[in-house]
Amino acid sequence: MIITKTPFRVSFCGGGSDMANFYEKYGGCVLSTSINKYCYISIHPYFNENQTVLKYSENELVDSPDQIKHRIFRQVLTDMGIHGVEISSTADIPGGTGLGSSSTFTVGLLNSLNCYKGKFVSKDKLAKLACEVEIEKLGNPIGKQDQYGAALGGLNFIKFNQDGSVSHEPILMEGKTYKELQKNLLMFYTGTTRSANTILAEQTKNITSEDKARNLLKMCGLAKDMKVALENNDISSFGKILDEGWQLKKELASGIANPAIDEAYEIAMKNGALGGKLLGAGGGGFLLFYCEEEKQEQLKKAIGLRELDFSFERDGTSIVYIGDKYWD
């Protein structure tokens, strides 16, 4: 048996600039971190080598990969020519919550299957392969930040270059600043999940308009400002930048926010938050706030939503267990 774990990500600033129709014209960038919530994937040979078993939110037993209903499983297993296995996927966080679950799964699956075949693949290559699967082969209207955030791990500034290449660098700061930043971040579940594709499809279409592109350019500028501030061990402006980015993001497409989300955000801002954002494409999932420690209890009581305790992580996708060798 082989088991991998791949982290979910939290994007702080610049989301949306990782879409091809934007970065191919202007270049894009995001500042994000992976967190200690994971997708786990296990794989081992199935007893009946002529069948494949898949266990996720549903169970599938198929005689050939082309019978698989799950689009990512079907694409990757077909591409890699793997059959006669049992694969299970479990996660700390449900899908549709704005933490990049689909891409985290894809990266973890590719890591698992390449290990199963006895191949080492770098984290950069896993991210690139995941982008090819989700964007090019399956045609999902998404960007590249989730794949790289999940594969690389850590707190990173990621650039999406006009030629389609991706470059990245870790954010370096003093240990005490790193710890303080984590302590000042709170995450709350809105109680709803959603498919990002509808919102992202509209956002992708809207980016061609001059005002939407201008918004994304401003969001990229904020991501760069956040990078410089953190590298200077200054987190005093972090909340303000989060808020400015959220206000710009809401204008990119309808459905990103709704009355319930706006109300929760307003309550948080009145009770100690210095800024925040809805994670992911919008419409549901998790709200993130920057709030100094002395005011956090007040905010928690006022907002009345379920809190998700989390911390940053640095490992990215990793192999946590390898049993008997099945490749030869």
Side-chain angles (χ1 to χ4, degrees):
M1 176 179 285
I2 293 168
I3 303 174
T4 61
K5 73 172 185 178
T6 305
F8 293 97
R9 67 95 188 102
V10 167
S11 178
F12 295 123
C13 210
S17 70
D18 60 331
M19 310 285 279
N21 60 344
F22 180 82
Y23 68 69
E24 287 176 354
K25 187 173 183 180
Y26 304 101
C29 61
V30 299
L31 197 151
S32 68
T33 186
S34 55
I35 63 173
N36 65 338
K37 305 298 175 188
Y38 301 93
C39 172
Y40 300 87
I41 293 180
S42 65
I43 178 173
H44 64 88
Y46 187 49
F47 180 77
N48 182 346
E49 63 183 16
N50 295 314
Q51 293 181 310
T52 286
V53 176
L54 305 173
K55 299 177 180 178
Y56 50 105
S57 57
E58 299 181 23
N59 291 337
E60 295 193 53
L61 174 63
V62 299
D63 296 319
S64 64
D66 59 8
Q67 296 175 351
I68 297 171
K69 292 188 296 182
H70 191 291
R71 296 173 72 235
I72 297 173
F73 266 132
R74 183 176 65 245
Q75 186 69 54
V76 175
L77 288 171
T78 300
D79 288 348
M80 298 186 69
I82 293 177
H83 185 47
V85 293
E86 181 173 346
I87 306 176
S88 298
S89 171
T90 58
D92 294 326
I93 305 292
T97 51
L99 300 181
S101 56
S102 175
S103 298
T104 292
F105 168 79
T106 307
V107 169
L109 180 62
L110 287 164
N111 197 9
S112 300
L113 295 181
N114 277 285
C115 182
Y116 184 78
K117 295 187 77 170
K119 296 180 179 179
F120 169 78
V121 180
S122 70
K123 292 180 179 181
D124 272 286
K125 182 64 173 179
L126 287 170
K128 184 178 180 181
L129 290 172
C131 290
E132 290 174 0
V133 169
E134 293 194 273
I135 301 170
E136 297 176 22
K137 295 178 179 178
L138 295 179
N140 294 333
I142 61 175
K144 294 182 175 181
Q145 67 155 317
D146 294 352
Q147 299 87 346
Y148 279 86
L152 297 171
L155 179 63
N156 297 296
F157 183 74
I158 306 173
K159 294 177 64 178
F160 309 99
N161 304 310
Q162 289 176 276
D163 63 0
S165 64
V166 178
S167 53
H168 49 84
E169 56 185 291
I171 302 296
L172 303 178
M173 66 183 85
E174 293 179 2
K176 63 179 182 180
T177 308
Y178 186 80
K179 291 177 182 178
E180 185 178 357
L181 176 61
Q182 292 186 77
K183 288 179 181 178
N184 289 349
L185 290 171
L186 298 173
M187 196 186 303
F188 299 95
Y189 182 46
T190 62
T192 58
T193 61
R194 80 288 175 272
S195 170
N197 283 0
T198 301
I199 295 172
L200 288 173
E202 181 186 346
Q203 182 176 316
T204 301
K205 181 180 178 181
N206 289 349
I207 287 172
T208 57
S209 69
E210 189 174 329
D211 59 328
K212 306 302 183 187
R214 192 180 302 116
N215 270 25
L216 278 173
L217 286 169
K218 291 178 181 177
M219 291 166 70
C220 286
L222 290 173
K224 294 173 184 176
D225 292 344
M226 184 177 283
K227 174 181 182 291
V228 171
L230 292 179
E231 290 176 337
N232 289 327
N233 297 292
D234 174 17
I235 57 174
S236 62
S237 61
F238 195 88
K240 181 175 181 292
I241 294 174
L242 278 181
D243 180 65
E244 290 180 14
W246 170 237
Q247 301 308 324
L248 290 169
K249 180 178 178 178
K250 287 196 294 182
E251 299 176 9
L252 294 178
S254 61
I256 289 179
N258 58 45
I261 290 169
D262 288 339
E263 181 182 6
Y265 191 90
E266 184 177 354
I267 289 172
M269 293 294 285
K270 288 180 178 178
N271 285 276
L274 298 178
K277 61 172 294 188
L278 187 71
L279 297 172
F286 286 95
L287 280 161
L288 177 78
F289 294 105
Y290 182 87
C291 179
E292 294 171 346
E293 281 192 277
E294 61 270 19
K295 294 184 179 180
Q296 289 183 3
E297 286 305 315
Q298 175 186 336
L299 190 157
K300 292 176 187 179
K301 290 179 182 178
I303 200 167
L305 295 175
R306 176 184 173 184
E307 182 184 4
L308 177 69
D309 185 45
F310 75 99
S311 61
F312 296 170
E313 76 92 58
R314 305 175 189 265
D315 295 334
T317 188
S318 59
I319 299 162
V320 296
Y321 178 80
I322 299 179
D324 292 336
K325 185 175 180 181
Y326 296 121
W327 56 87
D328 275 313

